[in-house]
Amino acid sequence: MTEHLIRREDYRPPQWSVREVWLSFTLDEETTEVRARLHCLRGEGVSEEEPIVLDAEELELVSVALDGEPLSPQSGPGGRGFVHDDVSLRLHGARAPEAWVETVVRIHPARNTALSGLYRSGTGLFTQCEAQGFRRITPFPDRPDVMARFHVTLEADEARYPVLLSNGNLQETVRLPGGRHRAVWVDPFPKPSYLFALVAADLQAIEREVGLADGRRSLLQVWVKPEHLPRAGWALASLEAALRWDERRFGRVLDLDRYMIVAVSDFNMGAMENKGLNIFNTKYVLASPETATDADYAAVQAVVGHEYFHNWTGNRITCRDWFQLTLKEGLTVFREQEFSADELAQAVGPERADSARAVKRIEDVQTLRTAQFPEDEGPMAHPIRPQSYRAIDNFYTATVYEKGAEVIRLLHTLLGEKGFRAGMDRYFERYDGQAVTCEDFVAAMAEANGVDLTPFLRWYEQAGTPRLVVEEDWDGDAGRYTLHLRQFTPPTPGQPENGPVILPVRLGLLGADGRDLPLVLADERDAVPAPEAPPAGGMRPIAPRDSAVGATTRLFTLTDEALTLEFIGLPPGPKPVPSLLRGFSAPVRLVFEEPDEALRHRMAYDSDAFNRWDAAQSWAQRQVLRLTRGETETLDETFVTAWKQLLADESLDAMFRVKAAALPGERWLLETMTPADPVRLRTALVRSSIDLARAGRDLWPRWRDCGSARPYRYDPLEAGRRALAAFAWRMEALLGEDERCSRTFAAADNLTERLAALDAALAHPDEALGEALLSAFESRYAEDDLVLDKWFARQAMRWSWHGAPGAVLARVQRLTEHRAFRWTNPNKVYALVLNFFANNLAEACAAGDPAWAFWQEAVLRLDATNPIVGSRLARALERWRRWAEPYRAAFAPVLEATRRQVRSTEVREILDRMADEEVVAP
Ligand code: TRP
Ligand code: ZN
């Protein structure tokens, strides 16, 4: 079968669209019958001969009618009739510009292991339609630029499926003979098919009626299994917080009388923003002190916010085609990031607001660096708006989401909060109810601000992480400091030459005493700031600098390859220390020879909390890599001293200190090593951790008892205290302290501390201690599917201290037989199998061939049952070309053999790219 490449430039508007649709489901897990009536419209200028083409996948066709007349399979060319193949249903013979199509199909939810379309989870039935699942439910033009009004009738056995939900408003419910019942739902907003949803299950809701900013009222509900009701409160509170935030910050008010969240345990991703009926992975809904950690609470709030914000950025205004995915995802991730940061700042109070916001920024940048940067340099590199794809599901990536959010943030940085808000207002005014492109979004931003953003669009066209190369000159007598900034983007697959992007650099200069210096450029000395010329008809170009002459943090923007900045009036003497890209003002890699001494200075004094963290991390990275290369046996004393000082600085937010003191993540460090040797790196990390634990010995007793104030309550300030305590426990465990872990594990009244105790035990040199707590954890949470995922994950990510190479792999393989493990449940596969390959590469490499054989077997199994999950597992090893020998050579033939056996388009696309030498940048 030839694989079909879909190109952005091939976009054509639909020949036929659908204005209104009536769906009627007779629901059952074995066989569900779906009747559809579509009111179709022929496009402007489309010929009468054009068939009505409906996407149709894995549907058993029962009957087709056109304009009230039954239709038969087409017998000859040109006549009335239909053609049904693997991917579509084509209807010939519609002569009028409007047509009525009626189809009846049968589908089999219990056999749907791909979890796309209508599927069974537990005893319930759920849908997932994004991106192309609707075509697995009924024949339909399954593309986002076809927007229709949906009328949905659901009929099912009442005892088995007591709750029947779909999008919009509940029109009626009817009891039927034979123990059956029916519900009718009508969604007043036209929507693309990917936002359709239905649920038929035994669920209960907690709910709350809220008043909206425009005076209307709305009912908010969170639907879960009856036994999970006590864990639904946080999601409901988060939903209300998100609703208030969007009213305040963007003036966006909920447009529905009813907004529902439904939790399901078998789900490929995090959650889905179906209009008025969000469907969520249970992982991002359920939270109680005993079953969710502080991090889980924050994640629930973030995902609930994300899906809620989609209602305006995604649903009211949607994507013209799937290439525009970042239009809704990048923007919505950015909105969620701002929501989470605002909520954190509010929770900790005004004095700590800055470092609390920095904590969120740090987490987001860590995600970007560990997930997106590697993607951008590997076989899957693509612009935030891809040029082509074989399977769209493979492009729900860190690039589209996280880099996409950074690109939106660039606009926010360039235009300021007010300008950005004006652009958003313009976007909603202009495009509400439409399916649009990324250019449309940028045009709204440009017009509302009178700025020509054409050069900005390159961020949508180019893959690859730009490099910002910095050189400096210092004239200590004159007090003149010059920065030479230059950018380039390395070649990426299919893009041998990349041009300069619009690159905002927020920066400051630190004096010898650590204080920020006022920033004045040479040509600003006596200049009276000229009043900004009004955009005379046309638009202003993007300004290369702000007008804040004399401020200590300023914004300069590279609009071309290079920019030189000459700062004057600085105190003569020692060179100031630059603090570049404050707040990570652009998603680039900084290429700058910064001496240890400068990192030390910034680690102690940088007024920008993000950069202070970044200085600590860069220095730590340097230390660990030197150990890895065998250049030294121990950490530098100056580093250790600075590290201790930062960690002990009580004026800083506790969570911030923990983030700054933690060693950089292994995945990120591997990216900075060429070739990447996971086994050597692991050894160096263990040694560094023990060194630091020893050096900080006097600190640990200070914090080890400052766990939560009882009883547990999620609160960012307390979460910080708990994180500091957890840090101390782990450090003491590394040194062989063994009492505390078991005691804390037994005494804790919450999962955060209990897991922290387990994690500390797993760091203890005596492996028996970790084993004991692992088994205690298993018995305690034996009945709790979601919490057991954390138990699986810890065993997958375990570092074997003395164990034979292969011991962790053997354990992971054995656990696939555990009664709670199911290959059909994505959360289980991610926790145990994906985690092992993505986050424990050192153990995989140490195990060698058996590990790669296990990867192959798992990928092939999932390829046949759930290609979305299979692709994600395949991608865990996409950076294999960077590995040191013998790992790389051992993996190559396994990749080749696997590639020959895969069936799904999704997994094949990934493996082909992984195997193709041509696609990887030199
Ligand atoms: N649109 C969803 C979000 O970002 C994610 C999503 C895309 C998804 N495809 C999916 C979820 C497939 C589940 C299954 O919130
Ligand atoms: Zn999203």
Side-chain angles (χ1 to χ4, degrees):
M1 193 179 129
T2 53
E3 298 273 19
H4 192 53
L5 191 69
I6 298 156
R7 289 172 221 274
R8 181 159 74 83
E9 68 216 29
D10 293 342
Y11 172 83
R12 298 288 175 278
Q15 307 262 341
W16 283 87
S17 59
V18 178
R19 174 178 292 169
E20 200 135 356
V21 48
W22 287 260
L23 295 173
S24 172
F25 290 83
T26 309
L27 292 158
D28 180 71
E29 63 170 39
E30 289 310 328
T31 299
T32 285
E33 189 177 82
V34 188
R35 300 172 163 266
R37 190 150 64 94
L38 317 181
H39 183 196
C40 302
L41 298 182
R42 184 188 285 130
E44 209 55 55
V46 173
S47 120
E48 281 193 12
E49 304 303 312
E50 280 304 329
I52 300 174
V53 182
L54 307 175
D55 297 297
E57 240 178 69
E58 296 194 30
L59 303 176
E60 254 175 58
L61 194 57
V62 177
S63 68
V64 185
L66 179 59
D67 293 325
E69 302 286 331
L71 209 59
S72 320
Q74 201 175 35
S75 41
R80 229 178 102 88
F82 69 81
V83 180
H84 181 209
D85 62 22
D86 278 358
V87 295
S88 67
L89 173 68
R90 295 157 176 273
L91 283 69
H92 294 266
R95 291 289 168 254
E98 296 188 24
W100 291 84
V101 172
E102 287 164 90
T103 59
V104 180
V105 300
R106 287 200 194 106
I107 53 180
H108 307 285
R111 286 186 236 157
N112 181 354
T113 54
L115 312 185
S116 163
L118 179 67
Y119 64 93
R120 177 184 68 182
S121 172
T123 58
L125 300 175
F126 303 82
T127 54
Q128 171 55 40
C129 293
E130 189 176 6
Q132 300 180 331
F134 194 71
R135 62 188 63 186
R136 294 159 59 88
I137 294 175
T138 195
F140 199 82
D142 191 12
R143 43 188 287 168
D145 57 354
V146 171
M147 298 168 84
R149 220 181 304 273
F150 280 67
H151 306 250
V152 179
T153 300
L154 305 174
E155 197 196 299
D157 181 81
E158 186 166 9
R160 214 173 153 71
Y161 304 110
V163 173
L164 301 174
L165 308 175
S166 191
N167 319 81
N169 299 318
L170 181 58
Q171 212 77 358
E172 60 166 359
T173 53
V174 191
R175 272 243 152 80
L176 302 170
R180 299 186 65 82
H181 68 152
R182 173 191 301 153
V184 179
W185 292 84
V186 179
D187 186 349
F189 295 95
K191 65 168 174 290
S193 50
Y194 83 87
L195 290 174
F196 167 80
L198 82 78
V199 171
D202 184 4
L203 303 173
Q204 283 179 22
I206 57 164
E207 61 181 42
R208 217 186 139 160
E209 203 190 81
V210 295
L212 306 175
D214 60 6
R216 293 166 35 254
R217 303 191 69 76
S218 185
L219 181 65
L220 310 181
Q221 296 180 317
V222 177
W223 292 89
V224 297
K225 285 190 200 162
E227 68 266 29
H228 287 152
L229 273 180
R231 303 188 197 176
W234 176 247
L236 186 61
S238 300
L239 178 57
E240 194 179 350
L243 179 152
R244 295 294 170 228
W245 182 86
D246 215 8
E247 290 183 343
R248 267 198 322 274
R249 180 101 183 246
F250 284 102
R252 294 294 121 196
V253 182
L254 178 58
D255 56 9
L256 293 154
D257 301 336
R258 181 198 283 248
Y259 192 102
M260 299 172 278
I261 286 177
V262 175
V264 60
S265 36
D266 299 288
F267 200 73
N268 283 340
M269 312 272 240
M272 179 62 214
E273 70 265 23
N274 317 300
K275 186 79 186 184
L277 180 57
N278 293 179
I279 298 183
F280 273 60
N281 190 319
T282 42
K283 182 175 160 60
Y284 295 110
V285 176
L286 305 180
S288 70
E290 267 291 345
T291 62
T293 62
D294 289 328
D296 292 327
Y297 274 86
V300 168
Q301 187 186 60
V303 179
V304 167
H306 179 104
E307 306 311 330
Y308 178 79
F309 302 139
H310 265 316
N311 190 51
W312 278 98
T313 50
N315 301 3
R316 286 290 287 255
I317 306 181
T318 192
C319 303
R320 186 192 71 173
D321 56 75
W322 290 119
F323 292 102
Q324 318 296 327
L325 184 57
T326 200
L327 172 80
K328 74 176 176 81
E329 295 304 346
L331 179 53
T332 302
V333 170
F334 170 77
R335 275 152 54 74
E336 172 274 309
Q337 291 176 349
E338 288 296 291
F339 165 61
S340 297
D342 286 350
E343 293 293 304
L344 276 181
Q346 199 179 31
V348 302
E351 307 102 88
R352 286 165 204 266
D354 274 0
S355 49
R357 292 187 73 95
V359 165
K360 174 64 179 166
R361 187 70 187 129
I362 288 165
E363 289 169 352
D364 294 336
V365 172
Q366 275 178 319
T367 309
L368 187 80
R369 284 181 178 158
T370 47
Q372 199 276 327
F373 280 16
E375 181 169 279
D376 230 349
E377 321 243 297
M380 277 293 288
H382 53 276
I384 63 169
R385 179 167 63 181
Q387 307 285 5
S388 65
Y389 59 77
R390 284 197 249 163
I392 186 57
D393 281 317
N394 284 337
F395 288 82
Y396 286 75
T397 57
T399 298
V400 167
Y401 277 64
E402 268 70 38
K403 186 178 181 182
E406 291 298 321
V407 170
I408 300 293
R409 185 174 296 279
L410 291 175
L411 288 170
H412 184 268
T413 301
L414 292 167
L415 304 171
E417 169 69 12
K418 268 180 78 182
F420 186 81
R421 171 67 196 269
M424 290 295 287
D425 289 350
R426 175 75 60 109
Y427 177 60
F428 292 123
E429 241 163 67
R430 165 85 63 90
Y431 299 111
D432 190 12
Q434 299 179 42
V436 307
T437 64
C438 298
E439 279 87 357
D440 293 330
F441 177 79
V442 175
M445 285 286 154
E447 285 166 27
N449 288 278
V451 176
D452 177 12
L453 291 174
T454 317
F456 187 82
L457 288 169
R458 190 169 269 160
W459 278 107
Y460 289 85
E461 309 291 331
Q462 268 179 202
T465 307
R467 307 303 200 257
L468 177 63
V469 185
V470 179
E471 279 165 281
E472 52 180 358
D473 284 322
W474 171 237
D475 180 342
D477 298 327
R480 177 194 312 270
Y481 177 85
T482 311
L483 269 178
H484 304 277
L485 309 176
R486 189 169 57 79
Q487 63 160 313
F488 72 94
T489 301
T492 44
Q495 289 177 320
E497 273 174 67
N498 286 320
V501 289
I502 300 295
L503 209 163
V505 183
R506 212 190 281 286
L507 61 86
L509 294 177
L510 277 66
D513 62 356
R515 266 189 286 192
D516 275 339
L517 303 169
L519 304 179
V520 180
L521 294 178
D523 62 357
E524 289 171 338
R525 189 181 351 230
D526 340 279
V528 187
E532 232 176 76
M539 299 224 194
R540 270 178 285 120
I542 296 166
R545 66 170 86 154
D546 64 18
S547 55
V549 180
T552 53
T553 295
R554 291 187 62 184
L555 182 69
F556 301 96
T557 302
L558 275 82
T559 55
D560 214 322
E561 238 135 68
L563 180 67
T564 295
L565 302 169
E566 200 180 314
F567 297 99
I568 54 163
L570 300 163
K575 184 183 78 62
V577 172
S579 168
L580 303 165
L581 291 169
R582 282 187 159 170
F584 202 61
S585 63
V588 301
R589 288 189 196 238
L590 190 59
V591 183
F592 181 42
E593 299 282 331
E594 206 174 3
D596 286 358
E597 178 48 31
L599 290 174
R600 195 193 60 76
H601 201 63
R602 292 206 296 113
M603 198 166 152
Y605 301 117
D606 205 321
S607 65
D608 183 73
F610 176 86
N611 268 12
R612 205 166 167 190
W613 167 84
D614 206 28
Q617 294 285 298
S618 307
W619 201 2
Q621 170 182 327
R622 217 174 264 185
Q623 296 284 317
V624 174
L625 291 180
R626 282 180 50 212
L627 248 71
T628 311
R629 291 192 297 263
E631 290 167 16
T632 170
E633 296 275 289
T634 51
L635 301 173
D636 262 12
E637 236 168 87
T638 47
F639 168 72
V640 174
T641 309
W643 179 84
K644 264 186 85 171
Q645 254 165 22
L646 187 60
L647 188 55
D649 186 343
E650 307 274 341
S651 73
L652 295 167
D653 182 65
M655 191 65 92
F656 175 83
R657 280 144 69 199
V658 172
K659 300 241 178 246
L663 288 173
E666 208 172 49
R667 269 171 69 179
W668 169 245
L669 289 171
L670 281 175
E671 284 298 316
T672 64
M673 277 176 90
T674 313
D677 189 330
V679 177
R680 292 181 69 113
L681 175 63
R682 178 66 60 84
T683 310
L685 275 171
V686 171
R687 167 155 317 151
S688 313
S689 305
I690 294 174
D691 265 15
L692 292 173
R694 237 183 244 127
R697 215 174 209 134
D698 53 315
L699 293 176
W700 316 138
R702 269 199 234 171
W703 299 319
R704 65 187 175 207
D705 300 319
C706 64
S708 51
R710 307 274 128 93
Y712 173 95
R713 187 173 69 89
Y714 172 67
D715 167 86
L717 268 184
E718 284 205 24
R721 272 199 292 278
R722 283 188 283 266
L724 205 51
F727 194 80
W729 299 341
R730 184 165 180 279
M731 288 308 210
E732 290 201 311
L734 273 166
L735 299 177
E737 145 70 47
D738 44 73
E739 287 283 294
R740 187 163 325 278
C741 306
S742 327
R743 253 190 298 122
T744 311
F745 186 90
D749 76 334
N750 64 83
L751 185 67
T752 308
E753 288 174 324
R754 189 166 291 120
L755 262 181
L758 170 59
D759 285 335
L762 290 168
H764 196 283
D766 177 3
E767 293 196 345
L769 191 67
E771 288 308 313
L773 291 197
L774 274 173
S775 89
F777 194 92
E778 184 191 9
S779 340
R780 179 170 199 118
Y781 293 105
E783 299 312 314
D784 208 307
D785 192 61
L786 208 48
V787 183
L788 275 183
D789 289 346
K790 299 183 190 300
W791 178 78
F792 281 116
R794 269 151 186 86
Q795 296 177 83
M797 293 194 287
R798 182 142 203 206
W799 296 12
S800 68
W801 297 79
H802 323 289
V808 175
L809 170 68
R811 159 91 66 118
V812 168
Q813 289 184 286
R814 216 170 338 107
L815 283 170
T816 62
E817 316 277 315
H818 189 275
R819 54 157 192 95
F821 184 88
R822 284 183 295 131
W823 283 99
T824 50
N825 176 249
N827 288 355
K828 294 286 168 294
V829 176
Y830 297 152
L832 184 65
V833 188
L834 181 74
N835 246 329
F836 176 69
F837 290 106
N839 297 315
N840 207 354
L841 201 52
E843 291 293 340
C845 286
D849 291 339
W852 314 137
F854 176 53
W855 173 84
Q856 175 177 44
E857 181 200 317
V859 167
L860 289 175
R861 176 198 290 269
L862 292 160
D863 171 59
T865 54
N866 187 332
I868 290 183
V869 176
S871 279
R872 291 179 73 176
L873 179 60
R875 289 196 61 185
L877 302 186
E878 76 183 4
R879 297 291 269 152
W880 70 279
R881 273 180 206 282
R882 303 192 70 256
W883 299 349
E885 298 297 2
Y887 316 122
R888 179 187 147 118
F891 180 69
V894 179
L895 172 61
E896 214 26 65
T898 314
R899 194 159 79 96
R900 281 197 302 269
Q901 296 172 59
V902 296
R903 315 281 299 252
S904 71
T905 313
E906 288 82 356
V907 182
R908 184 184 297 277
E909 179 171 39
I910 301 296
L911 295 186
D912 283 354
R913 288 231 205 185
M914 281 172 70
D916 186 350
E917 279 169 56
E918 300 296 307
V919 303
V920 184

PDB file of all heavy atoms in Angstrom, residues 4 33 139 331 459 629 842:
ATOM      1  N   HIS A   4       0.145   7.717   1.910  1.00  0.00           N
ATOM      2  CA  HIS A   4      -0.322   8.963   1.366  1.00  0.00           C
ATOM      3  C   HIS A   4       0.220  10.137   2.183  1.00  0.00           C
ATOM      4  O   HIS A   4       0.012  10.211   3.378  1.00  0.00           O
ATOM      5  CB  HIS A   4      -1.847   8.934   1.430  1.00  0.00           C
ATOM      6  CG  HIS A   4      -2.476  10.019   0.648  1.00  0.00           C
ATOM      7  ND1 HIS A   4      -2.184  10.252  -0.665  1.00  0.00           N
ATOM      8  CD2 HIS A   4      -3.382  10.952   1.006  1.00  0.00           C
ATOM      9  CE1 HIS A   4      -2.887  11.275  -1.092  1.00  0.00           C
ATOM     10  NE2 HIS A   4      -3.617  11.730  -0.100  1.00  0.00           N
ATOM     11  N   GLU A  33     -26.060   0.892  16.531  1.00  0.00           N
ATOM     12  CA  GLU A  33     -26.539   1.323  15.222  1.00  0.00           C
ATOM     13  C   GLU A  33     -26.577   2.847  15.201  1.00  0.00           C
ATOM     14  O   GLU A  33     -27.049   3.474  16.146  1.00  0.00           O
ATOM     15  CB  GLU A  33     -27.929   0.761  14.966  1.00  0.00           C
ATOM     16  CG  GLU A  33     -28.373   0.986  13.540  1.00  0.00           C
ATOM     17  CD  GLU A  33     -29.738   0.354  13.271  1.00  0.00           C
ATOM     18  OE1 GLU A  33     -30.746   0.993  13.606  1.00  0.00           O
ATOM     19  OE2 GLU A  33     -29.761  -0.769  12.750  1.00  0.00           O
ATOM     20  N   PRO A 139     -20.651   8.087   8.461  1.00  0.00           N
ATOM     21  CA  PRO A 139     -20.065   8.736   7.280  1.00  0.00           C
ATOM     22  C   PRO A 139     -20.286  10.245   7.346  1.00  0.00           C
ATOM     23  O   PRO A 139     -21.417  10.691   7.591  1.00  0.00           O
ATOM     24  CB  PRO A 139     -20.845   8.121   6.103  1.00  0.00           C
ATOM     25  CG  PRO A 139     -21.443   6.860   6.637  1.00  0.00           C
ATOM     26  CD  PRO A 139     -21.727   7.136   8.085  1.00  0.00           C
ATOM     27  N   LEU A 331      -1.953  28.561  21.348  1.00  0.00           N
ATOM     28  CA  LEU A 331      -2.642  29.660  22.026  1.00  0.00           C
ATOM     29  C   LEU A 331      -3.269  29.200  23.337  1.00  0.00           C
ATOM     30  O   LEU A 331      -3.216  29.896  24.348  1.00  0.00           O
ATOM     31  CB  LEU A 331      -3.713  30.240  21.083  1.00  0.00           C
ATOM     32  CG  LEU A 331      -4.557  31.390  21.600  1.00  0.00           C
ATOM     33  CD1 LEU A 331      -3.696  32.538  22.117  1.00  0.00           C
ATOM     34  CD2 LEU A 331      -5.509  31.887  20.503  1.00  0.00           C
ATOM     35  N   TRP A 459       8.308  32.192  12.121  1.00  0.00           N
ATOM     36  CA  TRP A 459       8.223  31.253  13.249  1.00  0.00           C
ATOM     37  C   TRP A 459       7.282  30.087  12.926  1.00  0.00           C
ATOM     38  O   TRP A 459       7.374  29.026  13.525  1.00  0.00           O
ATOM     39  CB  TRP A 459       7.729  31.952  14.517  1.00  0.00           C
ATOM     40  CG  TRP A 459       8.792  32.700  15.271  1.00  0.00           C
ATOM     41  CD1 TRP A 459       8.948  34.049  15.338  1.00  0.00           C
ATOM     42  CD2 TRP A 459       9.837  32.146  16.085  1.00  0.00           C
ATOM     43  NE1 TRP A 459      10.024  34.376  16.143  1.00  0.00           N
ATOM     44  CE2 TRP A 459      10.584  33.219  16.618  1.00  0.00           C
ATOM     45  CE3 TRP A 459      10.216  30.836  16.424  1.00  0.00           C
ATOM     46  CZ2 TRP A 459      11.677  33.035  17.461  1.00  0.00           C
ATOM     47  CZ3 TRP A 459      11.307  30.660  17.269  1.00  0.00           C
ATOM     48  CH2 TRP A 459      12.029  31.742  17.770  1.00  0.00           C
ATOM     49  N   ARG A 629      32.697  12.868  31.762  1.00  0.00           N
ATOM     50  CA  ARG A 629      33.844  12.709  30.868  1.00  0.00           C
ATOM     51  C   ARG A 629      35.089  12.235  31.596  1.00  0.00           C
ATOM     52  O   ARG A 629      36.131  12.060  30.983  1.00  0.00           O
ATOM     53  CB  ARG A 629      34.145  14.045  30.168  1.00  0.00           C
ATOM     54  CG  ARG A 629      33.084  14.466  29.146  1.00  0.00           C
ATOM     55  CD  ARG A 629      33.579  15.619  28.283  1.00  0.00           C
ATOM     56  NE  ARG A 629      33.833  16.822  29.083  1.00  0.00           N
ATOM     57  CZ  ARG A 629      32.953  17.817  29.212  1.00  0.00           C
ATOM     58  NH1 ARG A 629      31.790  17.761  28.596  1.00  0.00           N
ATOM     59  NH2 ARG A 629      33.229  18.869  29.959  1.00  0.00           N
ATOM     60  N   ALA A 842      19.396   4.515  30.731  1.00  0.00           N
ATOM     61  CA  ALA A 842      20.625   3.899  31.240  1.00  0.00           C
ATOM     62  C   ALA A 842      20.387   2.410  31.506  1.00  0.00           C
ATOM     63  O   ALA A 842      21.225   1.570  31.158  1.00  0.00           O
ATOM     64  CB  ALA A 842      21.085   4.602  32.508  1.00  0.00           C
TER      65      ALA A 842
END
